[in-house]
Amino acid sequence: MELELEENTIYQTFLSELEGKIQILAPGIDGYEESIRRRSTAAEKHAAAVIFPRTTDEVSKIVKVARANRIEFVVCCGWQSAGCASSIENGIVIDLRKMNTVTVHEESKTLTVQGGCTWADVNEEASRWGLATVGGIVNHTSVGGHILGGGYGWLTARNGLAIDNLLEAELVLADGSIVQASSIENPDLFWAIRGAGASFAIATSFTLQAHYQLNPVWSGKLIFTADKLPSIVEFANRHHERAEDQGFIFGFMCPPAGFKPVIIAVPFYNGTQEDAKKYFKELLDIGPVIDQTSWMPYEQANATFNDHVSFGARKSSGSSTVKAPFTLSLLQAVFDEFARFIGSNRDAGVERSLVVFTLIPYKKIREVKLEDMAYANRGDYYNADVWLRWKDPALDHKARAFARAMSERIHQIGRTAKDQGVGAYANNAEHQLDAMGLFGVNTDQLVELKKKYDPDNVFRTWRDV
Ligand SMILES: Cc1cc2nc3c(=O)[nH]c(=O)nc-3n(C[C@H](O)[C@H](O)[C@H](O)COP(=O)(O)OP(=O)(O)OC[C@H]3O[C@@H](n4cnc5c(N)ncnc54)[C@H](O)[C@@H]3O)c2cc1C
């Protein structure tokens, strides 16, 4: 039942403590319903209040008020979490969307990015200076969750993960104090936030290394019919053998027109169109039924997938990893299983679900040792994700169970060796694995640091470390 504003004690507490200086929405106020929207409708919860700070000091004040009054809170940046990590029933949401300034430092080629930016904000501003940093392949995701959990992008092959390009962060800790974390200041905290950051603090700004990105890139969408899977697998293996900084994503989907399962592929070439077409010739020769590839600005390449992973509908994601060389028999089995699930649940609105294999070369990722940062998913393998999407709440349990089972099924394709990373990406794993499953060899140190920086486990909705 919706509370009247006068009875909403949480709202009233913040209204008086913040002296009306910071925007607060609550049930009954215009804009509130919009503010609790999430990419997955299943993750929409009724917060008692949604608060929109504009500065680090305001974030600090909000945290202090919340802690003093024992009010639970979550932090929200890009509204992406299908596992409800950025939504809350009755508590408050600290929504960072107004903290979206990007400052370019030309001389050092670095970017200072406020904690509420989307990757679209960052790409747009950096591109004005001929720069880019490692950011998400979908540009409506935000810097906050992405960087703090690791951060893959098309530039990963050249420059590593987003955390490998993170030089410094400004953080608000669980007690409301404001600190800097870098290799010089609070290095233990800096270690923790590079991979498990959302379990430690609110990042109000990041300083990121940028790189020259002066040329357009060749990318875009290709669609192939199901019978082309053997050739796609062959190409994927060729790509694995010779890729330097070229990326290749392929996946399975069943678009609504007939629910006929097809293969989607997105190539990425950071160079001239001629060279791109040479590198991807064998892929293009397979004969796509739709070809939307072109030479385009880097920031546009990061919007290619946006339509396939848009807001609306209920969602669940599962994380897995695959090791090359890929075998047709196993990929065919995954394709068939996925197609069967979609076909038998078409009335529940499952169209536009995806299984995606992200073949971004991992050599650069492997240059950082597993123990060097909290992030523990560095290995000789590629990420594979299951992104289910459905409309009927009656399918919730079945769909989530399928996403988990499918992730496990894919993982068996490339069960990783013990000396490698955990083989799961925490940012996509939802609640599939515990801390040990996500942070492996780094778990004990994380647990120790948690006692130091967040002893009451205030930041626990992303991962309960
Ligand atoms: C459609 C889609 C595409 C994706 N593509 C990629 C990709 O290309 N590469 C990749 O590596 N990952 C990708 N991911 C995974 C993505 O990085 C994670 O889902 C990430 O957590 C999203 O963060 P967000 O801030 O956008 O979402 P939110 O739901 O707002 O936040 C997710 C978590 O991070 C916390 N958080 C957010 N901002 C902050 C902050 N400033 N300080 C502290 N905590 C914060 C939240 O509290 C929450 O726990 C994708 C996910 C989706 C859904």
Side-chain angles (χ1 to χ4, degrees), residues 414-441:
R415 180 63 64 189
T416 53
K418 286 268 181 287
D419 64 331
Q420 304 243 341
V422 291
Y425 181 29
N427 261 345
N428 286 338
E430 246 174 62
H431 299 296
Q432 179 190 340
L433 294 161
D434 62 9
M436 190 49 136
L438 296 171
F439 300 108
V441 292

Side-chain angles (χ1 to χ4, degrees), residues 39 75-81 85-86 96 115 136-138 141-142 144-146 148 151-152 198 201-203 309 387 425 427-428 462:
R39 197 181 73 88
V75 183
C76 181
C77 185
W79 324 282
Q80 301 288 343
S81 170
S86 55
L96 300 176
I137 285 167
V138 172
T141 61
S142 290
H146 179 106
L148 296 169
Y152 292 78
I202 304 175
V309 287
W387 284 345
Y425 181 29
N427 261 345
N428 286 338
W462 179 72

Side-chain angles (χ1 to χ4, degrees), residues 29 35 69 73 78 85 97 102 104 114 128 182 206 248 261 274 282 291 295 331 343 348 409 429 432 450 462:
I29 299 179
S35 76
N69 291 279
F73 64 87
R97 74 181 75 185
V102 179
V104 177
Q114 278 193 305
R128 288 189 221 281
S182 68
F206 299 97
F248 175 55
E274 292 68 37
E282 291 156 47
D291 180 349
W295 214 34
L331 281 171
R409 176 92 164 94
Q432 179 190 340
K450 221 14 207 182
W462 179 72

Side-chain angles (χ1 to χ4, degrees), residues 134-211:
V134 179
I137 285 167
V138 172
N139 70 11
H140 59 67
T141 61
S142 290
V143 298
H146 179 106
I147 298 174
L148 296 169
Y152 292 78
W154 286 124
L155 298 183
T156 287
R158 237 178 227 195
N159 305 305
L161 298 170
I163 44 172
D164 303 338
N165 291 272
L166 178 62
L167 303 173
E168 188 173 28
E170 181 179 65
L171 305 168
V172 175
L173 299 179
D175 62 0
S177 57
I178 300 170
V179 299
Q180 303 294 321
S182 68
S183 55
I184 295 162
E185 285 184 87
N186 300 305
D188 56 352
L189 181 58
F190 191 49
W191 178 90
I193 62 159
R194 286 175 294 166
S199 296
F200 279 83
I202 304 175
T204 49
S205 96
F206 299 97
T207 304
L208 298 164
Q209 185 63 59
H211 310 272

Side-chain angles (χ1 to χ4, degrees), residues 81-120:
S81 170
C84 299
S86 55
S87 45
I88 191 165
E89 207 66 49
N90 297 322
I92 61 157
V93 177
I94 302 177
D95 189 316
L96 300 176
R97 74 181 75 185
K98 288 184 192 258
M99 297 180 69
N100 63 350
T101 303
V102 179
T103 310
V104 177
H105 311 284
E106 200 183 1
E107 240 169 60
S108 57
K109 282 198 283 157
T110 56
L111 312 174
T112 302
V113 169
Q114 278 193 305
C117 291
T118 62
W119 283 112

